[in-house]
Amino acid sequence: MGRTIQILLLSCVLGIFSCVPSLAQDCASYSFSKNQVYTTCASLPVLSSFLHWTLHPSNNTVDVAFRRSGSAASNWIAWGLNPSGQRMAGTQALIAYRFSNGSVRAYTSSITASPTMLQSNLSFEVPSLTAEYTNGDMIIHATLQLNSNLLSTNQVWQEGPVTSDNPGQHAMASANMQAVGSINFQSGATTAGSNSRAKKRNVHGVLNAVSWGILMPLGIIIARYLKVFKSAGPAWFYLHVGCQISAYAIGVAGWGTGLKLGSDSPGVKYDKHRNLGITLFCLATLQVFALLLRPKPENKYRMYWNFYHWSIGYSTIILSIINIYEGFDILNPEKKWKRAYTGVLIFLAAVAAVLEATTWMIVLNRKKTEDSHLKHVNGNNSRQAV
């Protein structure tokens, strides 16, 4: 019995160690359909992608094969070099996708400020370029004529949907945003790119969700309902102002990160999100400056100021929520974050509904008491007059 257990344990250990090299060799041991052989291979960190290549030092040509494993037949793939930075804009790209009739197209695109990936020449020669879709893998084969400066540079890869036989906008998920790095064709070294841009996008989203999407509505709830309670005194006003100013300050920081992201991404445009953000910033700024022009309660213009203040405030809240969900669609984070924010909104709405009913009851009871007291006083005055 003991010997049997030892044999089983030894078999498990050997099985584990036999799996490790097979996993490590998944890249190098891949067999291409036309038996192409490459001397070097690297597993790229995201999007289940691999790069195979052979460098010919005598003339600085590189035979490359970019492979996206498990690629959907309806997706395009792209790989390229970008000496100007680890980003899509400026990438000298090789792109491939399948037409609806099953044929495969491969072409070059020098991606500048336009995200449409139109066919164009690259800054270096590409003597040969083909693509194939086989066993769920989309593969680009090419020969690149590189100068010495491009033998060690930045690489960018990506995938996205094909719509009406044309490449569409790729997703903005974390994996897509991290599909950058560096490559050295001579040493065979590849490194993953920095994730600073993705972090900036997340910071931008959190700042705006907290400021415009949570603190602003909370400030309105405080102003609308707490002032009904006499015990709150003037505290409701200072809480309201403090909440709104905090929201504005955090929102300005979020707006600033959005501007920075836009300037760092010349090929990516989200006109609706940007225009809503600019509108929100202008409306919120008007609200802040409105405090300086706030008339006293007995002033005859106070009614008009109140209407202006309320209309701008509620418009800001509505546009804020719309723009936050627009941001969720752009960032495409895990669903739990969108659900969490939706839960916060539902909670605030429930609190507002309860307070709305409660304050109306208080106001009506208070009015009823005042009317009863007024009738009692008038009755006493009438009897005294008689």
Side-chain angles (χ1 to χ4, degrees):
M1 182 68 178
R3 184 174 179 80
T4 303
I5 294 175
Q6 290 177 354
I7 293 173
L8 288 174
L9 288 174
L10 181 60
S11 300
C12 290
V13 171
L14 291 175
I16 292 171
F17 279 100
S18 65
C19 289
V20 171
S22 67
L23 291 172
Q25 294 172 6
D26 177 66
C27 178
S29 62
Y30 182 81
S31 298
F32 291 95
S33 61
K34 295 182 180 179
N35 298 319
Q36 297 98 322
V37 177
Y38 298 91
T39 59
T40 311
C41 176
S43 299
L44 302 181
V46 292
L47 299 180
S48 301
S49 300
F50 305 87
L51 185 68
H52 309 252
W53 75 89
T54 297
L55 172 65
H56 304 284
S58 59
N59 57 5
N60 280 353
T61 59
V62 183
D63 297 325
V64 300
F66 173 69
R67 176 168 60 95
R68 168 60 167 95
S69 178
S71 176
S74 58
N75 277 6
W76 56 263
I77 64 168
W79 174 87
L81 303 176
N82 190 347
S84 63
Q86 294 182 354
R87 57 181 180 269
M88 183 64 79
T91 298
Q92 306 299 295
L94 312 176
I95 301 170
Y97 64 92
R98 292 183 72 193
F99 287 112
S100 54
N101 61 11
S103 61
V104 179
R105 180 193 181 194
Y107 67 98
T108 60
S109 178
S110 180
I111 301 174
T112 55
S114 173
T116 54
M117 299 187 296
L118 298 176
Q119 183 170 352
S120 59
N121 294 327
L122 305 186
S123 61
F124 50 83
E125 295 295 324
V126 183
S128 68
L129 175 61
T130 60
E132 61 177 324
Y133 184 78
T134 176
N135 297 324
D137 290 359
M138 181 71 83
I139 307 170
I140 299 174
H141 297 275
T143 298
L144 313 179
Q145 180 68 62
L146 303 178
N147 58 46
S148 57
N149 294 331
L150 291 176
L151 293 179
S152 180
T153 187
N154 302 303
Q155 64 172 336
V156 181
W157 64 100
Q158 196 54 260
E159 70 168 353
V162 175
T163 305
S164 301
D165 283 345
N166 286 296
Q169 174 67 46
H170 66 76
M172 292 297 171
S174 177
N176 297 87
M177 303 312 299
Q178 296 177 42
V180 295
S182 62
I183 183 169
N184 189 316
F185 289 109
Q186 295 171 309
S187 67
T190 60
T191 59
S194 64
N195 197 20
S196 60
R197 186 165 176 267
K199 289 180 180 178
K200 288 179 183 177
R201 289 164 61 90
N202 292 336
V203 169
H204 169 72
V206 170
L207 288 176
N208 285 295
V210 170
S211 59
W212 308 111
I214 297 177
L215 289 178
M216 281 280 184
L218 183 60
I220 287 182
I221 290 174
I222 290 171
R224 179 170 176 81
Y225 301 115
L226 287 191
K227 64 181 178 182
V228 175
F229 299 92
K230 292 182 178 180
S231 58
W236 73 265
F237 175 75
Y238 298 110
L239 284 173
H240 168 67
V241 172
C243 195
Q244 300 303 74
I245 290 178
S246 298
Y248 179 74
I250 297 172
V252 168
W255 187 66
T257 58
L259 293 178
K260 177 62 176 173
L261 284 169
S263 65
D264 290 343
S265 310
V268 180
K269 293 183 179 180
Y270 301 103
D271 292 335
K272 181 180 178 181
H273 187 62
R274 181 194 62 187
N275 293 337
L276 283 173
I278 293 172
T279 303
L280 285 171
F281 174 75
C282 294
L283 291 176
T285 302
L286 285 174
Q287 284 288 69
V288 171
F289 282 106
L291 288 173
L292 304 176
L293 303 174
R294 180 170 172 261
K296 293 182 178 181
E298 62 273 11
N299 191 294
K300 64 179 181 179
Y301 295 109
R302 179 60 179 262
M303 177 181 67
Y304 302 106
W305 184 90
N306 285 341
F307 176 77
Y308 155 82
H309 187 60
W310 294 338
S311 60
I312 295 294
Y314 285 112
S315 298
T316 301
I317 297 303
I318 293 171
L319 291 178
S320 296
I321 294 172
I322 293 173
N323 209 28
I324 287 169
Y325 278 103
E326 187 74 17
F328 276 123
D329 292 338
I330 293 170
L331 282 175
N332 193 25
E334 294 182 35
K335 291 182 179 180
K336 64 180 181 180
W337 297 110
K338 190 173 184 178
R339 290 171 181 167
Y341 178 68
T342 302
V344 170
L345 286 185
I346 293 173
F347 173 76
L348 290 176
V351 169
V354 171
L355 289 175
E356 184 75 22
T358 303
T359 52
W360 267 109
M361 290 175 60
I362 292 173
V363 169
L364 292 175
N365 287 334
R366 189 177 294 163
K367 182 175 177 57
K368 184 177 179 180
T369 302
E370 290 175 353
D371 289 344
S372 176
H373 177 70
L374 184 61
K375 288 180 180 179
H376 179 71
V377 171
N378 290 337
N380 289 337
N381 291 338
S382 298
R383 285 193 293 271
Q384 290 175 3
V386 173

